[in-house]
Amino acid sequence: MKTNVGYWRLIGILLAALLMGTPAMAQTSDADAAFAEQLAALNARSFDDKAAAAQAIADSGHPRASIVLQALIDSRLYFRVVGGDVVLAEPSDEGFALTDPLTGEAAGTATQYEVRRVVINNAIRGQVRDLIARAGLTSDDAAVRRDAVQQLLNNPDPAVADQIAGLIEDEPKADIRQDMALVLGLARLGSDEPAERLLALDTLRGSLADRVRNQVRELAANDPDERVRQQAGAMLSNIEDKRRLWGLAEQVFFGLSMGSVLMLAAFGLAITFGVMGVINMAHGELIMIGAYTTYVVQLLMPNHIDYSIFVAIPAAFLVAGAFGVAIERGVIRFLYGRPLETLLATFGLSLILQQFVRTVFSPLNRQVSSPAWMSGSIEMNAAFSLTLNRLYVIAFALLVFFALLAIFKRTTLGLRVRAVSQNRAMARAVGVSSSRIDSLTFGLGAGVAGLAGVALSQLTNVGPNLGQGYIVDSFLVVVFGGVGNLWGTLVGGLSLGVLNKFLEPQTGAVLAKVLVLVFIILFIQKRPQGLFPQRGRAASEG
């Protein structure tokens, strides 16, 4: 009897569970059935019907909705020729591998004759992207939310304003909140109510984005409401003032990056010219050799581009330095005291080196890839961003500068170089080998020129004429800053770089260089020894 009671109790529990589960099962079945109908509607002939089906899929809340919509804009949604069933399709060796969009399970294979792609137009594609973006606003993944907001920025629909307004306060990421506020403001600018447009202007206050400026300019000129026009006009004036200030900051930044390149190119020239009095017209080709060394290192390390530059820096210094020592030992040491002949000889060497790289690498320019960590920029705001490669060039130039200062102030080589530069005869009298110092100094200057080539390779293409564009500017930097003075080279390089960048928009690149040259000539007439004159050089030459 007890056994029968237990048996009937078990049956009762099973029946109750089955009855309780039936509504949920029926609900799930109904949702899948509705979703299947919406999928089938994507194969409609009318684009309007397809757009309505895409909207219904997005509103359905089905867990597979976003997958289907993404497949639709990726052209991976197909339908069977026989039966018309919609499927997800991926190319395979046998034609297409099919997946059931409702369940995500494999649905066999098909040839290209058995399935056809669901065709949509650009209007539907844009609509679906917005639908996916709206769904992504509530994602747990910050990257998905960020992408969704960026997508909505391209098409700030007033219909999305209420959804954004409900989510913005709960968004934990500050950058996403900022972009959400931008979407919200731009969306409300399209409202028919003046109060909403005024609220939108308050929301957008402080933004310098081009889209905001254009929309505000449109309101200031054409809005039917006087209050909106006035507030938009005041806001537009404020935007333009701020953008001008950030434009000046951008010019300074680009001027500093250009000045850093000039500074690097001039360091080696300042060393050789200051110590040895040699006008080295092949200095630009030593820069070129450093750039080509960087290119060769990347060819040898194709799978380690991010780290190749750490190999290229010492390699460029050593290779260019070796060329410098060879030039000094082979040519220049026979021409000391004859500046005109030294100038002509080094000019001839520059032509030889250019032809050498044309023979080895061809006359075509070569592109050096920047490491991933040097790519991109730091966006300060919509009007100003700092490109990472230029930031690293500025930092690299300063690092080289302080390294050279340490060499000249803290090492025996630096002490002897300073002794020779200030009084060559007295240095010889106390046992300093001036010929050895000349060779090492020329090699050091050439090596620093090679480092300039490494920096330039990250900003421009590498070619046989790379150094020719910097040799004249390098001499101007050295003369302006003070011959042989590193601090003068630093100040001169950065100053001329910024001056060039401020003149170029007004006068053009060529006239800007002419004006800088005139400025240097007038400056030298007033102060022949430059900003930071070197002590003892005249006595040495006398």
Side-chain angles (χ1 to χ4, degrees):
M1 191 69 177
K2 291 182 180 179
T3 302
N4 290 337
V5 171
Y7 174 77
W8 287 109
R9 182 178 297 173
L10 178 60
I11 291 178
I13 292 173
L14 291 175
L15 287 174
L18 183 61
L19 291 174
M20 291 176 64
T22 298
M25 293 170 62
Q27 185 176 1
T28 301
S29 178
D30 291 343
D32 286 347
F35 190 66
E37 291 179 3
Q38 294 156 0
L39 285 175
L42 288 175
N43 193 24
R45 292 181 178 274
S46 168
F47 284 125
D48 290 339
D49 292 341
K50 292 182 179 184
Q55 182 69 57
I57 290 172
D59 295 339
S60 68
H62 196 279
R64 301 280 300 175
S66 60
I67 297 174
V68 170
L69 292 177
Q70 187 63 50
L72 180 63
I73 62 175
D74 290 343
S75 300
R76 293 185 292 110
L77 205 64
Y78 286 68
F79 64 92
R80 296 182 189 270
V81 174
V82 178
D85 295 337
V86 175
V87 292
L88 300 176
E90 296 285 351
S92 67
D93 294 337
E94 300 178 2
F96 292 95
L98 305 182
T99 304
D100 187 339
L102 190 63
T103 63
E105 297 177 355
T109 60
T111 66
Q112 61 179 334
Y113 305 106
E114 295 175 318
V115 291
R116 293 287 185 272
R117 182 166 58 87
V118 175
V119 178
I120 58 174
N121 57 19
N122 288 335
I124 296 177
R125 187 171 283 106
Q127 174 194 348
V128 172
R129 287 197 180 98
D130 288 344
L131 293 173
I132 294 174
R134 294 184 192 184
L137 290 174
T138 57
S139 172
D140 294 333
D141 189 342
V144 175
R145 297 197 305 276
R146 187 176 288 108
D147 291 342
V149 175
Q150 290 299 320
Q151 173 61 33
L152 291 174
L153 272 174
N154 297 326
N155 184 25
D157 188 350
V160 81
D162 292 338
Q163 183 181 4
I164 292 283
L167 296 173
I168 192 169
E169 293 183 0
D170 297 329
E171 173 55 51
K173 299 288 185 180
D175 61 325
I176 302 179
R177 276 201 310 275
Q178 183 177 357
D179 288 341
M180 280 183 168
L182 199 60
V183 174
L184 179 60
L186 288 171
R188 284 176 170 169
L189 283 181
S191 172
D192 295 331
E193 295 296 328
E196 282 290 311
R197 297 197 297 276
L198 288 171
L199 181 61
L201 289 174
D202 287 334
T203 303
L204 296 172
R205 191 178 304 278
S207 173
L208 302 178
D210 287 334
R211 181 182 290 273
V212 172
R213 181 175 62 166
N214 294 336
Q215 291 288 93
V216 171
R217 181 184 290 116
E218 178 69 20
L219 289 179
N222 301 315
D223 195 272
D225 189 272
E226 178 66 23
R227 294 173 303 162
V228 176
R229 287 200 305 273
Q230 290 180 353
Q231 184 167 330
M235 186 173 170
L236 180 63
S237 177
N238 182 262
I239 290 174
E240 297 294 354
D241 290 341
K242 287 184 177 180
R243 288 182 70 93
R244 276 192 291 271
L245 288 176
W246 284 111
L248 291 176
E250 185 178 51
Q251 283 185 296
V252 171
F253 172 68
F254 279 101
L256 290 175
S257 65
M258 178 183 177
S260 298
V261 174
L262 290 178
M263 182 173 67
L264 275 175
F267 276 149
L269 200 60
I271 294 170
T272 55
F273 192 26
V275 175
M276 305 161 63
V278 173
I279 301 176
N280 179 21
M281 295 301 294
H283 187 75
E285 279 57 50
L286 295 172
I287 296 173
M288 172 196 67
I289 287 172
Y292 270 104
T293 302
T294 308
Y295 170 68
V296 171
V297 168
Q298 285 204 353
L299 290 182
L300 298 175
M301 303 176 63
N303 299 322
H304 301 89
I305 298 298
D306 287 351
Y307 309 103
S308 64
I309 194 166
F310 297 109
V311 178
I313 289 173
F317 180 83
L318 293 175
V319 172
F323 270 90
V325 171
I327 291 172
E328 196 280 334
R329 289 287 86 187
V331 177
I332 292 178
R333 73 186 180 102
F334 301 108
L335 301 175
Y336 286 129
R338 291 181 283 180
L340 180 59
E341 294 179 22
T342 304
L343 186 149
L344 292 174
T346 54
F347 178 71
L349 282 172
S350 72
L351 297 179
I352 292 172
L353 290 174
Q354 288 181 43
Q355 190 57 44
F356 170 74
V357 298
R358 286 191 180 97
T359 303
V360 174
F361 297 102
S362 87
L364 301 176
N365 287 344
R366 304 293 181 176
Q367 184 176 6
V368 175
S369 300
S370 295
W373 48 271
M374 287 184 65
S375 303
S377 61
I378 301 174
E379 186 173 332
M380 308 301 291
N381 53 50
F384 179 54
S385 60
L386 302 173
T387 51
L388 289 178
N389 59 343
R390 293 183 179 274
L391 272 179
Y392 279 111
V393 166
I394 294 172
F396 180 62
L398 294 175
L399 185 63
V400 171
F401 168 73
F402 287 113
L404 289 174
L405 274 186
I407 289 173
F408 283 108
K409 299 294 185 182
R410 303 292 182 183
T411 66
T412 303
L413 173 63
L415 177 63
R416 292 177 178 176
V417 168
R418 283 184 287 132
V420 171
S421 66
Q422 292 177 13
N423 195 316
R424 183 178 296 270
M426 185 60 71
R428 286 176 179 172
V430 296
V432 176
S433 174
S434 61
S435 63
R436 183 171 179 271
I437 292 299
D438 286 340
S439 180
L440 291 175
T441 303
F442 206 92
L444 177 63
V448 174
L451 296 180
V454 177
L456 274 174
S457 70
Q458 304 304 309
L459 300 177
T460 186
N461 290 331
V462 176
N465 299 319
L466 175 67
Q468 290 297 301
Y470 293 90
I471 182 65
V472 175
D473 289 337
S474 298
F475 274 110
L476 290 179
V477 169
V478 171
V479 173
F480 176 61
V483 176
N485 190 292
L486 292 179
W487 280 105
T489 305
L490 172 72
V491 175
L494 296 180
S495 300
L496 294 184
V498 173
L499 181 61
N500 260 307
K501 282 301 176 183
F502 273 92
L503 288 176
E504 283 179 3
Q506 310 298 326
T507 64
V510 176
L511 185 56
K513 288 186 178 294
V514 172
L515 292 176
V516 170
L517 177 61
V518 172
F519 166 74
I520 297 296
I521 292 173
L522 295 176
F523 178 82
I524 295 301
Q525 291 294 319
K526 186 71 174 177
R527 191 180 175 89
Q529 294 177 319
L531 288 173
F532 298 87
Q534 188 182 24
R535 293 172 297 176
R537 187 64 188 163
S540 171
E541 293 178 346

